Short mmCIF file of all heavy atoms in Angstrom, two decimals:
data_model
loop_
_atom_site.label_atom_id
_atom_site.label_comp_id
_atom_site.label_asym_id
_atom_site.label_seq_id
_atom_site.Cartn_x
_atom_site.Cartn_y
_atom_site.Cartn_z
N LEU A 86 100.76 70.96 137.42
CA LEU A 86 101.06 72.10 138.44
C LEU A 86 102.48 72.33 138.44
O LEU A 86 103.31 71.69 137.86
CB LEU A 86 100.56 71.41 139.83
CG LEU A 86 99.08 70.99 139.98
CD1 LEU A 86 98.83 70.53 141.24
CD2 LEU A 86 98.11 72.18 139.44
N ASP A 87 102.73 73.54 139.10
CA ASP A 87 104.19 73.83 139.22
C ASP A 87 104.95 72.84 140.00
O ASP A 87 104.39 72.11 140.79
CB ASP A 87 104.44 75.19 139.93
CG ASP A 87 103.69 76.38 139.02
OD1 ASP A 87 103.78 76.19 137.84
OD2 ASP A 87 103.31 77.39 139.75
N LEU A 88 106.31 72.80 139.79
CA LEU A 88 107.13 71.88 140.57
C LEU A 88 106.87 72.06 142.05
O LEU A 88 106.94 73.19 142.55
CB LEU A 88 108.54 72.13 140.24
CG LEU A 88 109.57 71.14 140.84
CD1 LEU A 88 109.40 69.68 140.36
CD2 LEU A 88 111.08 71.61 140.64
N SER A 89 106.66 70.91 142.76
CA SER A 89 106.46 70.98 144.27
C SER A 89 107.65 70.41 144.86
O SER A 89 108.06 69.31 144.44
CB SER A 89 105.16 70.11 144.40
OG SER A 89 104.94 69.95 145.88
N VAL A 90 108.01 70.96 146.05
CA VAL A 90 109.10 70.44 146.79
C VAL A 90 108.57 70.22 148.25
O VAL A 90 108.19 71.07 148.86
CB VAL A 90 110.39 71.37 146.89
CG1 VAL A 90 111.48 70.79 147.59
CG2 VAL A 90 110.79 71.69 145.36
N GLY A 91 108.69 68.92 148.64
CA GLY A 91 108.22 68.56 149.88
C GLY A 91 109.20 69.00 151.05
O GLY A 91 110.30 69.34 150.73
N PRO A 92 108.74 68.93 152.31
CA PRO A 92 109.57 69.25 153.39
C PRO A 92 110.89 68.43 153.52
O PRO A 92 111.89 68.96 153.94
CB PRO A 92 108.77 69.04 154.69
CG PRO A 92 107.34 68.98 154.07
CD PRO A 92 107.34 68.58 152.78
N ASN A 93 110.82 67.26 152.93
CA ASN A 93 112.00 66.35 152.94
C ASN A 93 112.88 66.50 151.74
O ASN A 93 113.88 65.95 151.53
CB ASN A 93 111.65 64.90 153.03
CG ASN A 93 110.78 64.39 151.84
OD1 ASN A 93 110.50 65.16 150.95
ND2 ASN A 93 110.44 63.17 151.88
N GLY A 94 112.57 67.49 150.87
CA GLY A 94 113.23 67.76 149.65
C GLY A 94 112.88 66.98 148.31
O GLY A 94 113.27 67.17 147.24
N ASP A 95 111.89 66.08 148.54
CA ASP A 95 111.41 65.31 147.29
C ASP A 95 110.65 66.33 146.44
O ASP A 95 109.88 67.23 146.80
CB ASP A 95 110.26 64.24 147.77
CG ASP A 95 110.97 63.09 148.44
OD1 ASP A 95 112.19 63.02 148.47
OD2 ASP A 95 110.23 62.26 148.79
N GLN A 96 110.99 66.20 145.09
CA GLN A 96 110.36 67.03 144.11
C GLN A 96 109.42 66.23 143.25
O GLN A 96 109.61 65.23 142.84
CB GLN A 96 111.45 67.63 143.16
CG GLN A 96 112.49 68.37 143.88
CD GLN A 96 113.72 68.82 142.96
OE1 GLN A 96 113.40 69.67 142.09
NE2 GLN A 96 114.79 68.30 143.15
N VAL A 97 108.21 66.89 142.99
CA VAL A 97 107.28 66.29 142.18
C VAL A 97 106.58 67.28 141.15
O VAL A 97 106.26 68.36 141.56
CB VAL A 97 105.98 65.70 143.19
CG1 VAL A 97 104.93 65.17 142.42
CG2 VAL A 97 106.60 64.75 144.15
N TRP A 98 106.33 66.80 139.98
CA TRP A 98 105.62 67.32 139.01
C TRP A 98 104.19 66.76 139.00
O TRP A 98 104.04 65.57 138.66
CB TRP A 98 106.19 67.25 137.58
CG TRP A 98 107.38 67.92 137.25
CD1 TRP A 98 108.65 67.49 137.20
CD2 TRP A 98 107.52 69.39 137.11
NE1 TRP A 98 109.55 68.52 136.94
CE2 TRP A 98 108.86 69.63 136.88
CE3 TRP A 98 106.68 70.49 137.08
CZ2 TRP A 98 109.34 70.93 136.60
CZ3 TRP A 98 107.05 71.68 136.83
CH2 TRP A 98 108.40 71.95 136.62
N TRP A 99 103.19 67.38 139.65
CA TRP A 99 101.90 66.91 139.86
C TRP A 99 101.22 67.17 138.62
O TRP A 99 101.06 68.19 138.09
CB TRP A 99 101.23 67.49 141.01
CG TRP A 99 101.64 66.89 142.24
CD1 TRP A 99 102.38 67.52 143.28
CD2 TRP A 99 101.46 65.58 142.80
NE1 TRP A 99 102.60 66.62 144.26
CE2 TRP A 99 102.03 65.47 144.03
CE3 TRP A 99 100.65 64.44 142.39
CZ2 TRP A 99 101.96 64.30 144.86
CZ3 TRP A 99 100.66 63.34 143.14
CH2 TRP A 99 101.17 63.31 144.34
N TYR A 100 100.52 66.08 138.12
CA TYR A 100 99.41 66.12 136.94
C TYR A 100 98.10 65.98 137.68
O TYR A 100 97.91 64.87 138.21
CB TYR A 100 99.66 65.23 135.89
CG TYR A 100 100.92 65.53 135.16
CD1 TYR A 100 102.26 65.08 135.60
CD2 TYR A 100 100.94 66.40 134.09
CE1 TYR A 100 103.31 65.38 134.90
CE2 TYR A 100 102.08 66.76 133.52
CZ TYR A 100 103.39 66.30 133.90
OH TYR A 100 104.58 66.59 133.26
N ALA A 101 97.22 67.01 137.80
CA ALA A 101 96.07 67.01 138.64
C ALA A 101 94.90 66.81 137.77
O ALA A 101 94.67 67.44 136.68
CB ALA A 101 95.96 68.28 139.41
N VAL A 102 94.06 65.87 138.13
CA VAL A 102 92.72 65.54 137.52
C VAL A 102 91.71 65.93 138.48
O VAL A 102 91.53 65.28 139.56
CB VAL A 102 92.60 64.04 137.14
CG1 VAL A 102 91.34 63.68 136.31
CG2 VAL A 102 93.83 63.71 136.17
N GLY A 103 90.86 66.81 138.19
CA GLY A 103 89.82 67.21 138.97
C GLY A 103 88.35 66.68 138.63
O GLY A 103 88.22 66.54 137.47
N VAL A 104 87.76 66.15 139.62
CA VAL A 104 86.33 65.52 139.24
C VAL A 104 85.34 66.07 140.35
O VAL A 104 85.73 66.31 141.43
CB VAL A 104 86.54 63.96 139.29
CG1 VAL A 104 87.30 63.37 138.22
CG2 VAL A 104 87.03 63.40 140.76
N ARG A 105 84.11 66.06 139.81
CA ARG A 105 82.97 66.55 140.64
C ARG A 105 82.37 65.10 141.10
O ARG A 105 82.21 64.24 140.36
CB ARG A 105 81.89 67.31 139.86
CG ARG A 105 80.72 67.59 140.65
CD ARG A 105 79.62 68.32 139.72
NE ARG A 105 78.35 68.10 140.38
CZ ARG A 105 77.46 69.12 140.44
NH1 ARG A 105 77.75 70.22 140.05
NH2 ARG A 105 76.27 68.86 140.98
N CYS A 106 82.08 65.09 142.40
CA CYS A 106 81.43 63.95 143.07
C CYS A 106 80.25 64.41 143.86
O CYS A 106 80.05 65.48 144.25
CB CYS A 106 82.40 63.17 144.02
SG CYS A 106 84.10 62.85 143.26
N ARG A 107 79.39 63.37 144.04
CA ARG A 107 78.17 63.66 144.84
C ARG A 107 78.27 62.61 145.94
O ARG A 107 78.71 61.48 145.83
CB ARG A 107 76.93 63.63 144.23
CG ARG A 107 76.51 62.32 143.69
CD ARG A 107 75.03 62.46 143.00
NE ARG A 107 74.84 61.32 142.12
CZ ARG A 107 74.59 60.09 142.49
NH1 ARG A 107 74.42 59.77 143.79
NH2 ARG A 107 74.45 59.16 141.56
N LEU A 108 77.77 63.16 147.16
CA LEU A 108 77.76 62.20 148.34
C LEU A 108 76.79 61.00 148.15
O LEU A 108 75.61 61.39 147.70
CB LEU A 108 77.40 62.95 149.60
CG LEU A 108 77.29 62.22 150.85
CD1 LEU A 108 78.50 61.68 151.33
CD2 LEU A 108 76.61 63.15 151.94
N ALA A 109 77.16 59.81 148.43
CA ALA A 109 76.28 58.72 148.09
C ALA A 109 75.85 58.28 149.54
O ALA A 109 74.65 58.00 149.76
CB ALA A 109 76.91 57.67 147.46
N SER A 110 76.76 58.14 150.48
CA SER A 110 76.40 57.68 151.83
C SER A 110 77.53 57.93 152.80
O SER A 110 78.64 58.21 152.43
CB SER A 110 76.10 56.18 151.85
OG SER A 110 77.24 55.42 151.41
N GLY A 111 77.18 57.87 154.12
CA GLY A 111 78.21 57.99 155.19
C GLY A 111 78.22 59.35 155.82
O GLY A 111 77.57 60.36 155.33
N GLU A 112 78.74 59.44 156.95
CA GLU A 112 78.94 60.63 157.74
C GLU A 112 80.33 61.17 157.67
O GLU A 112 81.28 60.30 158.09
CB GLU A 112 78.44 60.40 159.13
CG GLU A 112 76.98 60.12 159.27
CD GLU A 112 76.02 61.38 158.99
OE1 GLU A 112 76.49 62.45 159.27
OE2 GLU A 112 75.00 61.00 158.40
N ALA A 113 80.58 62.21 157.20
CA ALA A 113 82.03 62.74 157.17
C ALA A 113 82.59 62.85 158.52
O ALA A 113 82.11 63.39 159.48
CB ALA A 113 82.02 64.18 156.44
N ARG A 114 83.96 62.37 158.58
CA ARG A 114 84.76 62.48 159.67
C ARG A 114 86.24 62.31 159.39
O ARG A 114 86.43 61.83 158.26
CB ARG A 114 84.22 61.34 160.74
CG ARG A 114 84.47 59.99 160.29
CD ARG A 114 84.11 58.95 161.33
NE ARG A 114 84.09 57.58 160.77
CZ ARG A 114 85.16 56.80 160.50
NH1 ARG A 114 86.30 57.28 160.77
NH2 ARG A 114 85.02 55.59 160.12
N VAL A 115 87.00 62.63 160.16
CA VAL A 115 88.39 62.37 160.11
C VAL A 115 88.64 60.87 160.08
O VAL A 115 88.24 60.26 160.94
CB VAL A 115 89.32 63.11 161.16
CG1 VAL A 115 90.69 62.62 161.02
CG2 VAL A 115 89.13 64.52 161.01
N ASN A 116 89.20 60.40 159.01
CA ASN A 116 89.41 58.88 158.84
C ASN A 116 90.88 58.36 158.72
O ASN A 116 91.05 57.34 158.50
CB ASN A 116 88.53 58.56 157.66
CG ASN A 116 88.18 57.01 157.80
OD1 ASN A 116 87.98 56.41 158.80
ND2 ASN A 116 88.29 56.32 156.58
N ASP A 117 91.88 59.38 158.77
CA ASP A 117 93.25 58.94 158.60
C ASP A 117 94.09 60.06 159.16
O ASP A 117 93.59 61.13 159.62
CB ASP A 117 93.57 58.50 157.18
CG ASP A 117 93.58 59.71 156.19
OD1 ASP A 117 93.37 60.92 156.63
OD2 ASP A 117 93.68 59.53 154.97
N ASP A 118 95.36 59.89 159.08
CA ASP A 118 96.34 60.93 159.68
C ASP A 118 96.55 62.13 158.69
O ASP A 118 97.41 62.80 159.10
CB ASP A 118 97.56 60.26 160.15
CG ASP A 118 98.35 59.64 159.01
OD1 ASP A 118 97.92 59.66 157.86
OD2 ASP A 118 99.46 59.23 159.25
N GLU A 119 96.07 62.15 157.56
CA GLU A 119 96.24 63.31 156.69
C GLU A 119 95.43 64.35 157.01
O GLU A 119 95.70 65.47 156.42
CB GLU A 119 96.05 62.81 155.20
CG GLU A 119 96.91 61.67 154.75
CD GLU A 119 96.83 61.21 153.25
OE1 GLU A 119 96.32 62.10 152.43
OE2 GLU A 119 96.98 60.13 152.87
N SER A 120 94.44 64.24 157.85
CA SER A 120 93.51 65.33 158.11
C SER A 120 93.31 65.54 159.60
O SER A 120 93.42 64.39 160.37
CB SER A 120 92.09 65.21 157.48
OG SER A 120 92.26 65.00 155.98
N VAL A 121 93.09 66.71 160.12
CA VAL A 121 92.84 67.05 161.57
C VAL A 121 91.34 67.48 161.72
O VAL A 121 90.75 67.35 162.82
CB VAL A 121 93.75 68.00 162.04
CG1 VAL A 121 95.22 67.46 162.22
CG2 VAL A 121 93.68 69.29 161.44
N ALA A 122 90.65 67.70 160.60
CA ALA A 122 89.34 68.05 160.69
C ALA A 122 88.62 67.85 159.31
O ALA A 122 89.35 67.91 158.20
CB ALA A 122 89.04 69.60 161.07
N VAL A 123 87.35 67.62 159.24
CA VAL A 123 86.57 67.53 158.05
C VAL A 123 85.18 68.34 158.25
O VAL A 123 84.67 68.32 159.24
CB VAL A 123 86.26 65.96 157.81
CG1 VAL A 123 85.37 65.86 156.59
CG2 VAL A 123 87.46 65.18 157.61
N GLY A 124 84.91 68.88 157.17
CA GLY A 124 83.57 69.62 157.34
C GLY A 124 82.96 70.00 156.04
O GLY A 124 83.53 69.93 154.95
#
Side-chain angles (χ1 to χ4, degrees):
L86 304 181
D87 291 335
L88 183 66
S89 171
V90 181
N93 64 356
D95 286 355
Q96 300 176 67
V97 177
W98 287 107
W99 284 107
Y100 293 88
V102 178
V104 294
R105 175 184 159 137
C106 304
R107 71 175 156 78
L108 176 66
S110 64
E112 294 294 322
R114 62 177 169 80
V115 173
N116 200 38
D117 65 13
D118 63 354
E119 294 184 32
S120 305
V121 296
V123 174

